[in-house]
Amino acid sequence: MQEAINFNRLAYFVAVVDAGSFTRAAEYLGITKAVVSQQVAKLEQEVGTTLLMRTTRRVQATEAGLFFHARCVSILREAEDALGELAQGRTRPKGLLRITAPYDYGTSVVVPLVTAFSQRYNDCKVELNLSDKMVDLVADNMDLAIRVGWLADSSMQARRIGSFRQLLVGSQAFAGEIAALSAPIDCAPLPFVANNALREPLEWTFTRSDGEVRSVRFKADIAINTTPAVMEAVRQGAGLSVLPDFLATAGLLAGDLIPVLPEWQLPSGGVYTVYPAARFRPPKVSVFVDMLIAALKV
């Protein structure tokens, strides 16, 4: 067989055998009789075997044609099933979803969503990698990364789906000192817990609603490399620190943490979904991202 078979011709051949004539097969396929006859003749040339015996009254498969017809039916059914599975896969999530996220954001925001996603979609399994290190999505075979802060240039596809505020906070142990503060510079003498997971944990720029900008460089009494641990140190009275709102809000509502100079704002950060470069994304990824966006809007 010198040339590859045109698999579209298999469907024409099967239709002719099933219908018993070129005319009825053409009507079933919605094309002309001449096209069906031509395509089946080319198929016979390609396989080098007579597949049909043609008479004025009827078309009948040869012995080789009957054998080939059975195999073609199986091939076409498998193709139909495969296309059906692909169509279903475009709407129903299935398979293993591998996600990476920062430890703090992943613990407080992503873990509850992973739980809800897993309960809703039984055909999906989830692997969540929590790490403050930049994970290589391609090398580590990740479907999705959730990154928080300020996104560096990358060859990956990224989408900003939300934002978070940074808050200067302290504990009740410093309530008196915090109440006496009137400007960001007044905070500098107070104990400060530095977050070494940040690129610049000590230099902070504050902006007031009237547009005034002030920068302060704190002196670290304690330096810790994870944000949840920084928050716990602040709660225990170690000093002031800057925390993202998605971690600090619960403590502020409970009164364990108190805001420092709330009239002065720190720069907001972004929440991003980052994907390996690909033209299409499977439903498991799209559905999970939709759930994440919905949760951020609440």
Side-chain angles (χ1 to χ4, degrees):
M1 206 178 299
Q2 296 180 346
E3 297 181 0
I5 292 176
N6 183 333
F7 280 85
N8 289 328
R9 293 172 185 150
L10 302 184
Y12 299 149
F13 168 69
V14 168
V16 172
V17 174
D18 290 345
S21 78
F22 284 96
T23 300
R24 288 194 291 271
E27 291 173 352
Y28 171 77
L29 294 169
I31 56 178
T32 66
K33 176 182 175 182
V35 170
V36 176
S37 179
Q38 181 186 55
Q39 293 301 310
V40 172
K42 288 184 177 180
L43 177 63
E44 289 180 310
Q45 292 176 4
E46 289 172 341
V47 299
T49 304
T50 300
L51 300 173
L52 298 173
M53 295 295 294
R54 300 159 176 83
T55 68
T56 55
R57 290 188 173 184
R58 184 172 176 80
V59 176
Q60 187 173 355
T62 63
E63 182 177 356
L66 287 172
F67 173 80
F68 191 60
H69 172 268
R71 299 303 295 270
C72 287
V73 169
S74 178
I75 291 169
L76 293 172
R77 184 179 297 118
E78 287 289 331
E80 185 178 358
D81 290 344
L83 291 172
E85 289 177 3
L86 284 175
Q88 183 181 20
R90 288 195 293 269
T91 57
R92 178 72 183 178
K94 63 191 307 183
L96 177 63
L97 175 61
R98 305 190 76 234
I99 308 169
T100 181
Y103 181 81
D104 53 350
Y105 192 82
T107 300
S108 61
V109 178
V110 181
V111 167
L113 284 174
V114 164
T115 302
F117 177 85
S118 181
Q119 292 171 345
R120 186 177 302 177
Y121 300 105
N122 296 329
D123 292 335
C124 283
K125 306 293 182 185
V126 182
E127 287 185 6
L128 176 60
N129 176 4
L130 297 182
S131 175
D132 290 330
K133 295 180 179 179
M134 193 67 69
V135 174
D136 187 320
L137 301 189
V138 176
D140 292 320
N141 196 28
M142 292 290 171
D143 296 301
L144 169 69
I146 299 167
R147 291 179 178 159
V148 175
W150 293 264
L151 200 63
D153 291 337
S154 170
S155 62
M156 302 290 103
Q157 297 177 351
R159 175 187 177 189
R160 181 171 176 141
I161 61 170
S163 62
F164 66 94
R165 292 182 302 131
Q166 298 186 103
L167 307 173
L168 181 63
V169 298
S171 70
Q172 293 293 344
F174 290 91
E177 291 91 333
I178 291 172
L181 300 174
S182 60
I185 194 63
D186 298 335
C187 302
L190 295 178
F192 189 80
V193 182
N195 186 347
N196 279 352
L198 302 177
R199 185 175 301 174
E200 179 48 73
L202 297 176
E203 190 79 30
W204 294 96
T205 298
F206 296 79
T207 303
R208 199 164 59 179
S209 59
D210 62 3
E212 185 177 357
V213 178
R214 290 285 184 268
S215 293
V216 179
R217 183 169 183 83
F218 292 92
K219 295 180 180 179
D221 295 84
I222 299 175
I224 304 177
N225 67 345
T226 70
T227 309
V230 170
M231 182 172 67
E232 185 58 28
V234 174
R235 287 163 57 97
Q236 296 296 327
L240 310 184
S241 195
V242 175
L243 295 172
D245 59 0
F246 56 81
L247 277 186
T249 298
L252 290 167
L253 291 174
D256 299 330
L257 300 175
I258 55 178
V260 179
L261 297 174
E263 66 275 15
W264 291 85
Q265 305 297 314
L266 289 163
S268 297
V271 179
Y272 301 87
T273 53
V274 183
Y275 316 90
R279 184 178 178 185
F280 300 107
R281 283 189 283 274
K284 60 185 179 182
V285 175
S286 300
V287 168
F288 184 84
V289 171
D290 288 343
M291 290 178 64
L292 177 59
I293 293 172
L296 294 179
K297 290 180 179 178
V298 174

